[in-house]
Amino acid sequence: MDATLPTSHEPSSELKATMVDARLPTPLYHQLFLVLRERIRSGAFPLGAVLPGEQDLTHVFNVSRITVKRALNELASAGMVSRHRGRGTVVTYNATVPVVKGSFDNLMEALKVMGLSTEVELINVAQVAATAEIAELLGLPSGVPVQRAERIRKLEGEPFSYIVTHLPIDIASTFDPDSLGHTPMLDLLERAGFVAVSAEQWITACSAEPATAQALKIATGSPLLKIVRVMKDSKSAPIEVVQGFYRPERFQYHMNLTRQRKGGRDEWR
């Protein structure tokens, strides 16, 4: 074992300085899960490291063995560690994988760069009836056929986003659905004569549903960054709806704001 890693007999000083609080409404096992998850994400416990043993964690955090077991099981469910009898709890999360960065300042260019610098895995393409939400965003009647495609984007083999796109059938019919597995959507649209020149976008948070969690290799219910984007042509007609679900530790959005004086008040744009 690397001498720099904590052993079951010598928990790290970083953990010793961290406490959990039974007075908080958050269960103790989840507090411990959050502490250990943050240490793993930060690289304090790197890929392949063995976490301190259950007995040591029980002593350091002054909690029961059952609390420790549940916290470690939660880490395993979240894809952060694997548990081995006789070997201990081994970190499987690679904190050195770069964070993918998006930008509001030049959205179209950022989307193209992302499409070229990341890997994509096509999960499924199908013709479905548009839900009321999708139909409204595309400016179509509810229930009309649209193409729905599911893809996973990866960086250095690690999934960071689960992307669901919806296209009107007349646009989707202009290219081979299998091409979604190796060609960025913006390129396919442009080749077919549907050039996206603007976008409307919403960013919020959500919990991972089972299918999304499985695709991203995380636990069901894990927090995700959700982005809904409507791509529009030169006439402001919707040509695509994108729903992206991002692992927050693997993705960040960046924007520059400028302070402006308008109508007697300050605005940030």
Side-chain angles (χ1 to χ4, degrees), residues 35-261:
V35 169
L36 294 175
R37 184 184 68 175
E38 183 56 34
R39 297 302 182 273
I40 293 171
R41 285 181 173 177
S42 70
F45 291 111
L47 178 67
V50 179
L51 294 186
E54 292 181 5
Q55 184 174 350
D56 289 316
L57 291 173
T58 297
H59 174 72
V60 170
F61 289 95
N62 192 28
V63 294
S64 70
R65 192 78 171 259
I66 293 177
T67 295
V68 171
K69 282 181 178 290
R70 187 165 182 183
L72 294 176
N73 287 339
E74 289 288 310
L75 284 173
S77 296
M80 309 292 287
V81 302
S82 60
R83 308 201 66 196
H84 307 272
R85 186 180 298 277
R87 185 183 174 195
T89 302
V90 181
V91 175
T92 56
Y93 177 87
N94 188 358
T96 64
V97 173
V99 174
V100 177
K101 298 181 180 181
S103 173
F104 275 123
D105 302 325
N106 194 339
L107 179 60
M108 296 302 175
E109 187 62 29
L111 292 174
K112 285 193 173 184
V113 170
M114 188 183 301
L116 293 173
S117 63
T118 60
E119 310 161 51
V120 64
E121 178 184 341
L122 180 60
I123 302 175
N124 185 52
V125 183
Q127 182 172 304
V128 301
T131 64
E133 177 189 7
I134 296 299
E136 181 179 359
L137 292 174
L138 285 174
L140 299 172
S142 182
V144 303
V146 294
Q147 182 200 75
R148 182 181 190 273
E150 302 170 63
R151 292 173 294 167
I152 301 173
R153 283 210 170 274
K154 302 177 182 180
L155 185 64
E156 296 189 4
E158 289 290 329
F160 71 89
S161 69
Y162 171 68
I163 306 295
V164 180
T165 59
H166 289 85
L167 297 175
I169 289 299
D170 62 325
I171 295 178
S173 63
T174 61
F175 58 84
D176 181 354
D178 290 339
S179 60
L180 287 168
H182 52 76
T183 306
M185 178 68 84
L186 284 179
D187 288 348
L188 292 173
L189 292 174
E190 289 183 7
R191 292 175 190 175
F194 299 95
V195 180
V197 299
S198 65
E200 188 173 3
Q201 183 166 270
W202 299 262
I203 299 180
T204 185
C206 68
S207 298
E209 296 181 357
T212 307
Q214 182 179 10
L216 293 176
K217 298 181 180 180
I218 57 176
T220 299
S222 296
L224 294 174
L225 180 68
K226 179 180 180 181
I227 297 177
V228 178
R229 182 184 304 120
V230 180
M231 309 300 291
K232 300 180 180 182
D233 64 15
S234 60
K235 297 180 181 178
S236 296
I239 58 177
E240 178 195 20
V241 173
V242 183
Q243 294 171 307
F245 301 87
Y246 296 84
R247 292 174 58 168
E249 79 278 12
R250 296 290 192 203
F251 182 81
Q252 62 178 229
Y253 238 115
H254 172 265
M255 66 182 74
N256 285 314
L257 299 176
T258 302
R259 184 178 179 180
Q260 298 180 350
R261 192 74 174 173

